[in-house]
């Protein structure tokens, strides 16, 4: 399929086959999230610097529309389609339409799947493990926690799966795993944490966020209730998270993802594929870096 897409890209309807004039369609359900927007912006910047034409379509969490977006993109015969986060199993119709059109699909922070030439992401299990240990350390090694999750995102689901054994092995009680709605994760997490703290706040000694935005919502809920001594951790390393960590408040740590590296690697894979060199593996994982109150100045 990949080689067919390369040769097909030289036809008038398929765009140019050389690296100077590729056309790429990016589709995502999560552009409203800070990390998604950051990595897609970085990808677009890198691609356009090569002379590529990049379009971006956001479906705001609607997976049915994401399938339609894939189908519409495939009909335009771009040189590649990029899934900007999301669960590939929910866009099987879209992936089939891309395959039928001979258009290769690459993914950023999604998952390996049939129809995905390569997924470029972080080592999400490690992100979960690092963040869990950071929360345990901030709690002094004991306590009970709430996890803020979002299983429809494969990366967040993998982080939670990586974090749970770390908590369990340390004897930390997981009181609840709360699904966070997207779009609007900050507001949704804030409301959820307000309810949780009202119901069982005397038991909660830490909050784990699957990414920075729910961690920010949790921090806002704790600050509004003037609750101290309940640390919060996130994952992504967004600027707002680093600013909260620097304040010395509830938000105590995050694990910064290498979004620039992920974007660059995706661009490189598309360029190599267009030149006739298919990806050597189906998934590429980049490491993340733990950021705490002691190291935040180095990461800002």
């Amino acid at each position: 399929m990949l080689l067919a897409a390369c040769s097909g890209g030289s036809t008038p309807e398929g765009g140019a086959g050389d690296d100077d004039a590729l056309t790429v369609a990016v589709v995502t359900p999560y552009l409203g999230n800070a990390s998604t927007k950051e990595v897609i912006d970085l990808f677009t910047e890198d691609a356009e610097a090569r002379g590529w034409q990049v379009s971006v379509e956001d479906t705001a969490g609607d997976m049915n529309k994401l399938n339609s977006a894939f189908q519409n993109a495939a009909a335009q015969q771009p040189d590649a389609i990029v899934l900007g986060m999301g669960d590939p199993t929910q866009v099987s119709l879209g992936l089939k339409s891309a395959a039928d059109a001979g258009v290769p699909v690459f993914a950023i922070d999604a998952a390996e799947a049939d129809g995905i030439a390569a997924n470029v992401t972080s080592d999400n299990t490690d992100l979960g493990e690092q963040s869990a240990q950071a929360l345990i350390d901030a709690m002094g090694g004991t306590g009970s926690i709430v996890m803020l999750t979002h299983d429809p995102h494969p990366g967040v689901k993998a982080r939670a799966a990586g974090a749970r054994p770390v908590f369990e092995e340390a004897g930390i009680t997981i009181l609840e795993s709360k699904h966070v709605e997207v779009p609007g994760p900050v507001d949704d997490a804030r409301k959820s944490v307000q309810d949780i703290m009202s119901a069982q706040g005397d038991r909660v000694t830490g909050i784990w966020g699957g990414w920075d935005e729910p961690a920010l919502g949790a921090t806002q809920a704790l600050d509004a209730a003037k609750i101290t001594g309940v640390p919060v951790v996130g994952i992504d390393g967004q600027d707002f998270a680093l600013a909260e960590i620097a304040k010395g408040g509830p938000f105590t740590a995050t694990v910064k993802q290498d979004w620039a590296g992920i974007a660059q690697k995706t661009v490189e894979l598309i360029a190599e594929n267009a030149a006739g060199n298919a990806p050597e593996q189906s998934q590429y994982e980049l490491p993340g870096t733990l950021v705490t109150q002691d190291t935040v100045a180095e990461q800002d």
Side-chain angles (χ1 to χ4, degrees):
M1 182 189 76
L2 299 179
L3 293 177
C6 293
S7 60
S10 62
T11 63
E13 66 270 22
D18 64 308
D19 186 37
D20 292 333
L22 300 183
T23 57
V24 180
V26 179
V27 291
T28 177
Y30 295 132
L31 195 62
N33 284 353
S35 58
T36 308
K37 185 177 187 306
E38 179 181 355
V39 72
I40 289 177
D41 284 350
L42 287 167
F43 171 87
T44 302
E45 181 181 346
D46 285 355
E48 290 182 343
R50 292 172 175 250
W52 299 2
Q53 294 182 3
V54 180
S55 63
V56 179
E57 183 171 354
D58 173 43
T59 66
D62 190 323
M63 296 303 169
N64 289 326
K65 288 184 179 179
L66 192 64
N67 272 299
S68 296
F70 256 99
Q71 292 167 335
N72 292 338
Q76 299 302 312
Q77 288 284 302
D79 293 285
I81 296 174
V82 173
L83 171 60
M85 304 191 185
D87 184 354
T89 64
Q90 296 189 47
V91 288
S92 56
L93 292 177
L95 291 174
K96 183 180 185 302
S97 68
D100 289 345
V103 179
V105 178
F106 294 80
I108 294 175
D109 197 27
E112 297 175 273
D114 290 341
I116 302 286
N119 177 48
V120 186
T121 185
S122 294
D123 183 343
N124 282 292
T125 299
D126 181 63
L127 300 185
E129 292 171 349
Q130 287 196 62
S131 58
Q133 189 59 56
L135 183 57
I136 293 168
D137 293 343
M139 294 190 303
T142 61
S144 302
I145 62 122
V146 171
M147 298 182 71
L148 303 175
T149 63
H150 185 81
D151 283 356
H153 186 296
V156 176
K157 184 176 182 180
R159 295 167 209 167
R164 287 190 184 97
V166 177
F167 289 131
E168 292 167 358
E169 290 171 12
I172 303 298
T173 299
I174 301 173
L175 296 171
E176 183 175 354
S177 290
K178 184 68 176 178
H179 173 78
V180 176
E181 293 291 343
V182 177
V186 176
D187 289 344
D188 189 62
R190 181 175 64 249
K191 293 173 184 176
S192 292
V193 171
Q194 287 172 341
D195 292 343
I196 290 169
M197 297 308 290
S198 294
Q200 52 182 340
D202 57 333
R203 300 180 62 197
V204 180
T205 60
I207 299 175
W208 181 89
W211 69 108
D212 282 342
E213 282 159 308
L216 177 62
T219 297
Q220 292 175 349
L222 295 174
D223 284 343
K226 300 188 185 312
I227 296 173
T228 60
V230 178
V232 178
V233 302
I235 294 170
D236 278 345
Q238 291 297 313
D239 287 344
F240 65 79
L242 302 183
E244 287 293 332
I245 293 170
K247 290 180 183 178
F251 207 141
T252 60
T254 186
V255 185
K256 188 175 181 65
Q257 299 199 64
D258 184 5
W259 293 124
I262 288 171
Q264 181 180 22
K265 183 63 177 178
T266 307
V267 169
E268 291 173 352
L269 289 171
I270 293 172
E272 291 168 3
N273 188 71
N277 302 310
E280 295 180 353
Q281 55 198 68
S282 59
Q283 178 144 299
Y284 296 80
E285 296 182 344
L286 280 67
T289 305
L290 180 65
V291 183
T292 65
Q293 290 172 348
D294 292 334
T295 64
V296 65
E298 301 171 8
Q299 299 294 324
D300 199 356

